[in-house]
Amino acid sequence: MTILVLLGSRNACCVTATVILIKGGEVVNHDLQMKADVLIKDGLIAEVAPNIKAPAGAKVIDASGSYVMPGGIDPHTHLAMPFMGQVACDDFYSGQAAALAGGTTMHIDFALPVNHNLLAGFKEWQAKAQLACADYGFHMAVTKWNSQVAEDMGKLVQQGINSFKFFMAYKGALMVNDEELLQGFVRCRQLGALPQVHAENGEAVALGQQLVFEAGITGPEGHALSRPAVLEGEATGRAIRLASFVGVPLYVVHVMSIDAMEEVARARKAGLPIIGEPVASGLALDESAMWDANFTKAAAAVMSPPIRSKQHGVALKKALAGGLLQLVATDHAVFNSSQKAVGRGDFRVIPNGVNGLEERMHVVWQEMVVSGLITPRDFVRITSTAAAQIFNVYPRKGCIAPGSDADVIVLDPRVKHTISAATHHSRIDTNVYEGKEIQGKVTVTISRGRLVWFEGKLNVEPGSGRFIPLPTHGPLFDGIDKAGADTAARLVKAFAAENGATPVVREDAGGSGKASKDEL
């Protein structure tokens, strides 16, 4: 891949372009692959066709031998997040710059409430995002339930939030109980918003941490031992069943185990609108790093749910290839080695989180495409299109087609490179993928028509990012309203349909006889 037209000073903070023509590449969408050129004008894709003639003054990029794909969408990140006494060291500028260097052009970050106040949390995340240099959206976490939270959820969907996350773990901090979870699910159904769950049994995790620590296991390996896969599977199954009871779709974040994956697969087989999201680290890594004698390396791999043994990663990749799991995220939440060091001697206070915003596209390409598990079209689906569809911004995002945002990458499958903290763009001083060799590299990233990554150089500036509102009632809600907006009425209808039984109107209660099925 070569740049045919001089793109301006390498010292410039940001390269902008009114017209860009990508020539000679293999254009790949989730449903179509073809040799074609891509013309970009004023931040949008103007034309996709063979042999497009370059308009006067256009910047032309030769993509011969490379794939031209939609920019990646990472639906699960935590930038500048306060957590476990620390603040994630990537902010909205450094994290997004790293993302663009790795071919991700949009991400959805989790805003946390301030003292359980959703609107205050949203305002705080809006302030953090003033540093943004790429497109982004927000999810909102719900950490408590009351009437004010319910009211504020309604206000937030009017401001472009269409998903709410419920933590079933982190007892005493973020965790909600089953009553709160159910109330949240009901409210999400009313709003057409997608509920998400961090699925681990928080009560059992707390007990496991206590028992493992008291047994004298204080290092990072204690983290893995105290949160076994069975606790992830139990919580995943419980959340799915509760969502089914309410009649709402459900998105399970960071599926890390066979146990959780099988719960998602079982639900989808039953026809339930359930999404399972593995993360790049769970596909490519295994838990052995937490047993490393070097504390810094071991602590760097601590995240929740934990990275599991190799057989879990193998199973997750097969499930992703077969469609049992739908898309890949990162759960990017980075704490440098000095921040992780607060947990030296007590794994329970190591801030949880690993990197991935910059590495995700390359890691997934290596693990899934180079390995032969999936095609380039599948790659586009699991790294971009599925997220755009689930969070209701497709086809504005997630495809290369006239009228779509000009978020485009060029990936050269011939280029080999090695992931390292010495060369990445995140502010974290470690990298859980250190030394991983990749066959294939993103050589060009275009964000909204801006050439932001080329020839190994980033060209971005803080404040140039853009908030993307996420509309409610996405595709997962198709048909939901037909089942009845009222949960109680829906349950009565479902029982009647399954059992042939109907509610009884009793004479001593002022009525007579039974209600007919037609009356229901």
Side-chain angles (χ1 to χ4, degrees):
M1 191 284 303
T2 56
I3 305 295
L4 297 182
V5 176
L6 189 62
L7 296 174
S9 170
R10 292 178 183 271
N11 296 319
C13 289
C14 186
V15 174
T16 59
T18 302
V19 182
I20 298 174
L21 179 62
I22 304 174
K23 292 284 293 182
E26 188 82 6
V27 174
V28 185
N29 280 315
H30 78 287
D31 58 352
L32 180 65
Q33 183 172 333
M34 64 179 179
K35 191 73 170 287
D37 303 336
V38 179
L39 181 63
I40 294 168
K41 292 183 178 180
D42 300 321
L44 300 177
I45 295 172
E47 185 179 1
V48 182
N51 304 315
I52 297 175
K53 183 179 179 180
K59 299 184 184 300
V60 182
I61 297 173
D62 179 6
S64 300
S66 297
Y67 295 107
V68 181
M69 300 173 166
I73 301 174
D74 187 344
H76 187 159
T77 64
H78 300 279
L79 299 181
M81 174 185 65
F83 187 55
M84 298 180 71
Q86 304 292 323
V87 177
C89 61
D90 266 340
D91 59 21
F92 272 77
Y93 176 64
S94 66
Q96 290 186 354
L100 293 170
T104 289
T105 52
M106 179 180 172
H107 71 108
I108 310 178
D109 205 71
F110 283 94
L112 299 181
V114 175
N115 296 322
H116 305 295
N117 186 303
L118 273 59
L119 296 184
F122 180 60
K123 183 177 181 180
E124 184 170 296
W125 253 256
Q126 285 179 307
K128 294 174 191 285
Q130 293 301 304
L131 294 172
C133 59
D135 285 359
Y136 62 93
F138 288 133
H139 312 288
M140 174 57 72
V142 175
T143 55
K144 184 179 181 179
W145 190 258
N146 54 41
S147 59
Q148 187 63 54
V149 169
E151 180 180 341
D152 290 347
M153 287 173 68
K155 293 177 180 178
L156 287 172
V157 300
Q158 298 300 319
Q159 299 189 60
I161 288 180
N162 71 358
S163 54
F164 295 89
K165 182 178 181 180
F166 302 85
F167 291 86
M168 301 172 75
Y170 301 120
K171 183 179 179 179
L174 301 171
M175 177 177 157
V176 297
N177 59 35
D178 282 359
E179 179 184 2
E180 294 170 317
L181 188 64
L182 279 164
Q183 294 286 0
F185 283 179
V186 170
R187 184 59 171 149
C188 283
R189 179 185 165 90
Q190 292 170 346
L191 295 171
L194 180 61
Q196 299 179 289
V197 288
H198 172 133
E200 289 182 287
N201 187 310
E203 295 289 351
V205 166
L207 177 60
Q209 289 179 319
Q210 175 189 336
L211 295 175
V212 170
F213 187 80
E214 289 176 351
I217 302 172
T218 62
E221 67 275 15
H223 179 76
L225 293 170
S226 66
R227 310 174 88 107
V230 65
L231 302 186
E232 186 187 353
E234 184 279 331
T236 301
R238 176 160 42 100
I240 288 171
R241 287 164 176 80
L242 294 179
S244 176
F245 170 74
V246 171
V248 70
L250 183 66
Y251 185 110
V252 183
V253 304
H254 48 44
V255 173
M256 300 294 286
S257 66
I258 294 171
D259 306 54
M261 177 271 289
E262 289 182 340
E263 292 289 349
V264 172
R266 186 178 299 112
R268 290 181 63 83
K269 182 179 179 181
L272 298 176
I274 307 298
I275 297 296
E277 170 211 90
V279 292
S281 56
L283 302 177
L285 305 175
D286 65 72
E287 64 188 3
S288 61
M290 284 180 280
W291 273 261
D292 196 281
N294 182 303
F295 174 84
T296 297
K297 182 177 179 180
V302 169
M303 65 173 291
S304 293
I307 298 167
R308 309 288 185 187
S309 58
K310 288 183 179 179
Q311 61 263 36
H312 289 278
V314 171
L316 291 175
K317 286 187 283 189
K318 290 180 179 178
L320 184 61
L324 299 177
L325 300 174
Q326 288 69 54
L327 74 171
V328 183
T330 61
D331 194 11
H332 181 93
V334 291
F335 302 92
N336 61 36
S337 56
S338 62
Q339 292 175 300
K340 293 267 190 175
V342 300
R344 191 182 294 274
D346 188 348
F347 69 85
R348 297 171 297 181
V349 295
I350 298 173
N352 292 189
V354 302
N355 60 287
L357 250 175
E358 184 170 358
E359 297 80 11
R360 179 184 69 121
M361 299 289 279
H362 291 133
V363 167
V364 175
W365 180 263
Q366 182 69 33
E367 294 294 323
M368 301 298 294
V369 183
V370 176
S371 69
L373 283 172
I374 63 173
T375 68
R377 292 188 303 277
D378 295 324
F379 174 80
V380 168
R381 173 177 54 83
I382 65 177
T383 61
S384 183
T385 308
Q389 292 171 334
I390 291 166
F391 294 103
N392 210 17
V393 288
Y394 181 85
R396 177 182 182 182
K397 303 287 187 183
C399 72
I400 294 179
S404 296
D405 284 355
D407 299 335
V408 182
I409 64 172
V410 177
L411 189 151
D412 190 335
R414 301 162 295 188
V415 178
K416 294 182 180 180
H417 62 111
T418 302
I419 296 175
S420 174
T423 55
H424 72 205
H425 297 82
S426 167
R427 288 181 180 154
I428 191 175
D429 59 356
T430 59
N431 194 309
V432 290
Y433 304 101
E434 186 71 38
K436 185 173 181 62
E437 295 181 350
I438 306 292
Q439 178 65 57
K441 184 175 176 61
V442 174
T443 54
V444 175
T445 303
I446 296 169
S447 170
R448 300 196 327 265
R450 304 169 302 151
L451 199 52
V452 294
W453 171 252
F454 66 98
E455 293 186 338
K457 301 291 183 181
L458 266 171
N459 292 273
V460 293
E461 58 185 9
S464 59
R466 179 179 62 175
F467 174 66
I468 304 297
L470 306 175
T472 58
H473 295 89
L476 289 171
F477 279 86
D478 288 351
I480 291 291
D481 287 342
K482 295 177 182 177
D486 180 77
T487 299
R490 183 184 58 80
L491 290 173
V492 171
K493 284 181 178 291
F495 185 85
E498 181 175 347
N499 300 284
T502 58
V504 175
V505 180
R506 291 180 171 83
E507 294 181 3
D508 58 1
S512 61
K514 296 182 179 180
S516 69
K517 291 183 180 179
D518 291 339
E519 292 174 325
L520 296 174

